[in-house]
Amino acid sequence: MTVVGARPNFMKAAPIIAAIRDHNERMAISRGPAGAGDSQFPLQNVLVHTGQHYDEAMSDRFFADLNIPKPDVHLGVGSGSHAAQTAEIMKRFEEVLLREKPDLLIVVGDVNSTLACALVAAKISFDANGTRPLIAHVEAGLRSFDRGMPEEINRILTDHVADLLFVTEESGLRNLREEGIPDGKVHFVGNTMIDSLLAFKDRADASDILKKLNLQSRNGGHGSVKEAARYALLTLHRPSNVDQRATFLNILEGLEELANSCPIIFPAHPRTQKRLAEFGLEHFFVIEKESHEGKESRSAHAKGRIRLIEPLGYLDFLCLMAHAAVVVTDSGGIQEETTCLGVPCVTVRENTERPITVKVGTNIVAGTSKEGIRQATRQQLESKVSGTVPEAWDGRSAQRILDAICREIEKKRVL
Ligand code: UD1
């Protein structure tokens, strides 16, 4: 059983779902149905969507872009406080788990859905012997060492109830060892989000988002290779950055210099859109919330102001990211994607749980002060950063995960 719930889960789970499908197709062609005790056996995957994210732009669009099949089960949980959302997922997920009784549960990332479902599986009992599914956590071991971040709590707790921990970078191995998690549970597999990036990059390149946003240079735009104008891409959605007016204002002021030098495109998360209206910060933006269709005449650069658009799908966003001069973000995943693409990234946070993106990649952790943001964006625009791609971020992480999972399930079947 695989669980997804929120936007950053979809690109991490998609390659695993695809690897299971390919595995079953190979099985069907090469041997016909396998019997118990065979070391190779087909895998049934039940896909569960908790509904933590539910807007078309935050969920359905990603299923379409990433070719993820329709979920077998949709819990329809929606938004709420951390406690209400986590508790509601747990209640509804328990029923599904008791009905389906999977051998193994895969949870990905660090959102509330990840922890809620892992916790349910850790305490469930399918029979009098206390049988429960194995719990596999994809993207284990990342630590920001900031327990004020809800995701940090989700990461730590999920890792400590997991039976198989799939790690994306070397810091994860170190963190888990320091927390006393036995090495035998831990597998260094690389990054499934990068599997998705590599699998979909060509399709993303065919996106017409640059044209729609009037971001092609005058000579470019013919064929699939685009000549992009110079622009920056911005995402901000962390509660710590956008839920307090003073912090949000400070970040926007830190971006003024960049906004004067090139267009900043800002696909804004629903939370962020609500906050900037509440806080009366609209004057920093040109709000282009309507559909992009027919808007090619709009100015590419609203000098000094940030171009706010609706959240984008996976392929359009990947295209925008790949062609950007600099990406400014408070997301976790985008630090990794820009590292893989060799695009300069400025992280508007005090810390990162993904230090490899700073060590070998293209990321600078700028903090949230005005001056920190100004300096880091200037530095990233001027320097010709290239960085290297971290070990095992090679497009084969999902297959490594599947191989480890098959070995574990086989052990369980033999016992
Ligand atoms: C969640 C994750 C965060 C991740 C982010 C990516 C947790 C604790 N946080 O944060 O790690 O980086 O997703 O987006 O799990 N909303 C909508 N439509 C939606 C979803 C949300 O309008 O489809 C609005 C609602 O007002 C909601 C708010 O966004 O209350 C926050 O949604 P929520 O799922 O609680 O957390 P995110 O901020 O999206």
Side-chain angles (χ1 to χ4, degrees), residues 174-252:
R174 215 171 36 243
N175 295 334
L176 293 174
R177 202 165 294 145
E178 276 166 19
E179 290 175 22
I181 302 218
D183 284 352
K185 291 182 170 185
V186 179
H187 304 258
F188 179 67
V189 292
N191 193 327
T192 60
M193 195 176 52
I194 301 303
D195 289 8
S196 279
L197 185 150
L198 296 174
F200 286 94
K201 191 162 178 304
D202 288 349
R203 247 170 284 178
D205 251 342
S207 153
D208 58 358
I209 189 70
L210 293 178
K211 184 160 177 267
K212 281 180 178 165
L213 292 173
N214 198 14
L215 289 172
Q216 284 173 317
S217 71
R218 260 181 225 130
N219 312 326
H222 303 296
S224 61
V225 181
K226 299 179 187 72
E227 284 292 322
R230 191 163 173 271
Y231 65 89
L233 179 63
L234 170 69
T235 82
L236 286 175
H237 74 281
R238 296 244 160 255
S240 56
N241 281 344
V242 302
D243 279 3
Q244 300 294 326
R245 188 178 191 280
T247 317
F248 198 174
L249 176 64
N250 204 50
I251 293 172
L252 294 174

Side-chain angles (χ1 to χ4, degrees), residues 9 36 66 251 262 278-279 287:
N9 288 162
L66 291 156
I251 293 172
C262 71
E278 239 172 79
F279 296 153
I287 299 184

Side-chain angles (χ1 to χ4, degrees), residues 54-361:
Y54 42 85
D55 285 353
E56 144 78 25
M58 299 293 285
S59 177
D60 296 4
R61 182 84 194 270
F62 286 79
F63 276 70
D65 278 3
L66 291 156
N67 290 334
I68 306 175
K70 203 170 164 299
D72 300 292
V73 181
H74 200 297
L75 302 180
V77 166
S79 301
S81 68
H82 285 279
Q85 187 177 58
T86 308
E88 201 53 48
I89 297 170
M90 289 181 73
K91 271 163 64 185
R92 297 186 194 190
F93 184 63
E94 184 177 42
E95 285 174 28
V96 176
L97 213 50
L98 285 171
R99 187 171 71 231
E100 301 289 342
K101 298 188 175 55
D103 292 300
L104 181 134
L105 172 73
I106 302 173
V107 293
V108 301
D110 56 13
V111 300
N112 286 345
S113 302
T114 312
L115 172 63
C117 296
L119 263 182
V120 173
K123 295 189 183 178
I124 208 137
S125 192
F126 292 153
D127 55 30
N129 299 325
T131 307
R132 65 160 181 85
L134 291 168
I135 302 165
H137 184 206
V138 175
E139 200 188 82
L142 298 181
R143 297 291 182 267
S144 65
F145 302 100
D146 172 5
R147 292 205 181 190
M149 240 183 132
E151 293 83 359
E152 183 76 351
I153 306 294
N154 294 343
R155 290 179 197 120
I156 296 170
L157 297 181
T158 305
D159 282 345
H160 282 257
V161 296
D163 303 290
L164 286 101
L165 294 94
F166 294 113
V167 172
T168 54
E169 62 164 275
E170 60 194 23
S171 73
L173 297 174
R174 215 171 36 243
N175 295 334
L176 293 174
R177 202 165 294 145
E178 276 166 19
E179 290 175 22
I181 302 218
D183 284 352
K185 291 182 170 185
V186 179
H187 304 258
F188 179 67
V189 292
N191 193 327
T192 60
M193 195 176 52
I194 301 303
D195 289 8
S196 279
L197 185 150
L198 296 174
F200 286 94
K201 191 162 178 304
D202 288 349
R203 247 170 284 178
D205 251 342
S207 153
D208 58 358
I209 189 70
L210 293 178
K211 184 160 177 267
K212 281 180 178 165
L213 292 173
N214 198 14
L215 289 172
Q216 284 173 317
S217 71
R218 260 181 225 130
N219 312 326
H222 303 296
S224 61
V225 181
K226 299 179 187 72
E227 284 292 322
R230 191 163 173 271
Y231 65 89
L233 179 63
L234 170 69
T235 82
L236 286 175
H237 74 281
R238 296 244 160 255
S240 56
N241 281 344
V242 302
D243 279 3
Q244 300 294 326
R245 188 178 191 280
T247 317
F248 198 174
L249 176 64
N250 204 50
I251 293 172
L252 294 174
E253 287 176 352
L255 289 168
E256 272 172 338
E257 183 179 298
L258 182 64
N260 277 311
S261 80
C262 71
I264 304 182
I265 306 298
F266 181 30
H269 187 285
R271 169 200 288 283
T272 312
Q273 292 195 31
K274 273 184 213 153
R275 292 293 182 246
L276 70 90
E278 239 172 79
F279 296 153
L281 296 172
E282 289 102 330
H283 55 284
F284 282 94
F285 303 95
V286 175
I287 299 184
E288 302 175 3
K289 287 175 69 165
E290 66 276 59
S291 141
H292 309 309
E293 308 296 338
K295 286 283 163 191
E296 281 151 41
S297 60
R298 67 163 53 114
S299 157
H301 191 184
K303 217 171 169 49
R305 291 205 287 163
I306 296 169
R307 293 178 56 187
L308 186 150
I309 60 173
E310 289 292 340
L312 294 170
Y314 182 71
L315 296 175
D316 286 345
F317 189 79
L318 182 50
C319 178
L320 268 189
M321 196 162 40
H323 293 275
V326 63
V327 176
V328 181
T329 189
D330 61 4
S331 148
I334 292 171
Q335 298 170 51
E336 299 184 325
E337 289 169 328
T338 46
T339 281
C340 184
L341 292 166
V343 171
C345 177
V346 172
T347 297
V348 182
R349 282 175 46 190
E350 301 298 338
N351 52 52
T352 179
E353 60 288 333
R354 292 158 160 95
I356 197 82
T357 61
V358 177
K359 191 173 165 201
V360 308

